[in-house]
């Protein structure tokens, strides 16, 4: 048995074999590659990354699966209807030596960078941010006053915020909030006004498709949405359904999307909205209560819903038992 001095000597003066092994390990650990987004297989890998981040942290320090599904559908929709191209190059994927997806940078708005990163590879965050800044600069090369790049971190994500601060980003405060609630707690009983009923939306029915397009445009005036978007709905990977409160005249008065991520036992609401002519009747609460039943039927344990920090819908979610789980701060970089 070695005594203390011999043990220390062995540790500080490695043999050639030790040195060879150290070089091999270093080589393997640094063989990380990155490339642009390609196709549906990458969409599945990206969804898997979000689920893996949630499993590791039990937090939503990343996007929810329904949101990445909707974002990718929006990219495909714009490509088909507005001739928008180049969106795949704005999504960058990082792979481990074994080919597993471990990180991604993607936008949502025109000058945004969302960093999704497996916690086991947290040390790669500066590399992801390097790429985001370089890509942003290249897009605005020649601009006299280029727009600021916006990046995001949760309120208590200290390392990410320290990285942004060190790079000269300015914290603009919380911009988005994610609410959660346990589905073990019964949803409140929300009576429907006389003449209204709730049922699933049939995307195969022409009338339902027209009603869905109409209510989406009315509830979200800036949304770009038509029947082409509905056709792309089947490409989304997360199981989902739309529930609508039907008005006495047969039209859609309120609706919500309900999504299931059974791998982590979590359901998501996206979107939630009410026709302007049918507001203040408790319809959004009623469809969300039905949505929680839909989630329970699939064995889910909790539900979440996200929105803007200053959105009036935050009061609705609080009344249904949701609590604030994450605050996403927006950080801006002037370059």
């Amino acid at each position: 048995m070695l005594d203390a001095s011999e043990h220390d000597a062995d540790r500080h003066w490695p043999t050639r074999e030790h040195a060879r092994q150290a070089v091999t390990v270093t080589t393997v650990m640094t063989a990380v590659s990155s490339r642009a987004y390609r196709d549906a297989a990458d969409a599945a890998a990206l969804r898997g990354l979000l689920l893996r981040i949630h499993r590791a942290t039990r937090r939503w320090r990343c996007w929810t699966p329904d949101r990445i599904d909707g974002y990718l559908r929006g990219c495909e929709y714009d490509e088909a209807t507005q001739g928008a191209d180049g969106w795949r190059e704005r999504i960058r994927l990082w792979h481990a030596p074994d080919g597993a997806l471990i990180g991604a940078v993607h936008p949502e708005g025109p000058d945004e960078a969302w960093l999704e990163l497996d916690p086991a590879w947290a040390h790669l965050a500066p590399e992801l941010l390097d790429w985001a800044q370089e890509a942003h600069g290249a897009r605005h090369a020649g601009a006299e006053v280029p727009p600021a790049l916006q990046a995001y971190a949760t309120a208590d994500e200290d390392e990410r915020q320290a990285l942004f601060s060190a790079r000269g980003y300015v914290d603009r405060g919380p911009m988005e909030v994610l609410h959660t609630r346990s589905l073990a707690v019964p949803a409140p009983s929300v009576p429907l006004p006389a003449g209204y009923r709730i049922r699933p939306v049939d995307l195969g029915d022409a009338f339902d498709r027209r009603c869905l397009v109409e209510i989406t445009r009315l509830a979200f005036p800036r949304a770009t949405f038509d029947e082409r978007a509905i056709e792309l709905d089947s490409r989304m990977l997360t199981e989902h359904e739309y529930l609508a409160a039907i008005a006495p005249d047969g039209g859609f008065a309120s609706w919500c999307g309900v999504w299931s991520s059974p791998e982590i036992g979590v359901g998501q609401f996206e979107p939630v909205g009410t026709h302007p002519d049918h507001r203040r009747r408790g319809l959004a609460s009623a469809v969300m209560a039905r949505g929680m039943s839909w989630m329970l039927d699939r064995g889910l344990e909790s539900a979440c819903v996200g929105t803007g920090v200053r959105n009036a819908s935050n009061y609705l979610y609080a009344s249904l038992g949701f609590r604030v789980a994450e605050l996403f701060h927006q950080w801006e970089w002037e370059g």
Side-chain angles (χ1 to χ4, degrees):
M1 179 180 292
L2 297 173
D3 63 24
S5 60
E6 289 174 323
H7 184 272
D8 288 344
D10 181 68
R11 182 177 61 202
H12 293 296
W13 298 97
T15 64
R16 291 182 181 179
E17 177 61 19
H18 290 157
R20 185 193 65 78
Q21 291 175 356
V23 170
T24 302
V25 170
T26 300
T27 301
V28 171
M29 291 299 289
T30 56
V32 172
S33 60
S34 73
R35 62 169 173 80
Y37 176 93
R38 291 174 184 162
D39 51 27
D42 285 344
L46 189 49
R47 181 178 183 276
L49 172 63
L50 302 183
L51 295 173
R52 197 162 68 249
I53 294 171
H54 185 271
R55 282 196 198 97
T57 63
R58 305 310 299 173
R59 298 280 300 276
W60 285 115
R61 297 192 183 280
C62 56
W63 271 17
T64 52
D66 61 292
R67 187 171 179 181
I68 200 69
D69 269 342
Y71 165 67
L72 294 174
R73 180 183 70 170
C75 291
E76 293 181 339
Y77 171 88
D78 287 343
E79 185 177 52
T81 62
Q82 302 175 38
D85 56 10
W87 62 269
R88 292 173 180 83
E89 287 69 34
R90 295 197 62 194
I91 305 172
R92 194 76 180 174
L93 307 178
W94 275 256
H95 293 88
D98 64 1
L101 181 63
I102 55 175
V105 175
H106 63 82
E108 186 175 46
D111 292 292
E112 290 186 341
W114 290 85
L115 278 60
E116 319 285 9
L117 189 57
D118 187 316
W121 297 84
H123 60 281
L124 291 180
E127 180 177 332
L128 270 63
L129 193 58
D130 283 344
W131 180 86
Q133 292 177 183
E134 291 168 7
H136 179 76
R139 282 195 305 276
H140 298 289
E144 186 173 342
V145 182
L149 175 64
Q150 298 164 345
Y152 296 83
T154 56
D156 61 347
E157 206 168 1
D158 295 338
E159 289 186 8
R160 183 73 55 87
Q161 295 194 69
L163 172 62
F164 291 156
S165 181
R167 294 287 185 93
Y169 285 70
V170 176
D171 184 3
R172 298 303 185 190
M175 292 292 174
E176 295 189 10
V177 58
L178 189 76
H179 308 262
T180 65
R181 84 183 304 277
S182 169
L183 292 173
V185 179
S189 177
V190 183
L192 282 169
Y196 289 83
R197 60 191 176 90
I198 297 175
R199 67 167 174 82
V201 176
D202 182 359
L203 296 183
D205 180 80
F207 176 78
D208 275 15
R209 290 198 304 272
R210 287 196 301 271
C211 287
L212 188 60
V213 168
E214 177 188 22
I215 195 171
T216 302
R217 288 176 172 174
L218 287 170
F220 304 101
R222 291 183 295 175
T224 305
F225 192 84
D226 60 19
E227 293 205 21
R228 168 62 180 167
I230 295 175
E231 291 173 9
L232 293 170
D233 204 82
S234 62
R235 298 189 188 181
M236 291 195 274
L237 301 176
T238 308
E239 180 193 3
H240 62 287
E241 191 165 50
Y242 302 104
L243 303 174
I246 310 302
D249 65 3
F252 287 8
S254 185
W255 95 117
C256 69
V258 286
W259 303 70
S260 172
S261 298
E263 302 94 334
I264 53 173
V266 179
Q268 299 94 33
F269 285 98
E270 172 64 30
V272 180
T274 301
H275 193 295
D277 294 342
H278 298 271
R279 289 176 179 165
R280 302 190 182 280
R281 300 180 190 181
L283 296 174
S285 296
V287 294
M288 287 188 71
R290 181 68 62 86
M292 284 185 256
S293 295
W294 182 93
M295 294 175 188
L296 276 171
D297 289 344
R298 284 154 181 77
L300 304 181
E301 299 170 356
S302 64
C304 64
V305 58
T307 188
V309 168
R310 297 171 184 83
N311 196 303
S313 62
N314 289 313
Y315 297 104
L316 163 67
Y317 305 141
S319 72
L320 292 171
F322 285 83
R323 61 173 180 81
V324 174
E326 307 289 355
L327 283 172
F328 287 91
H329 282 234
Q330 183 186 80
W331 290 71
E332 283 193 341
W333 180 69
E334 297 291 346

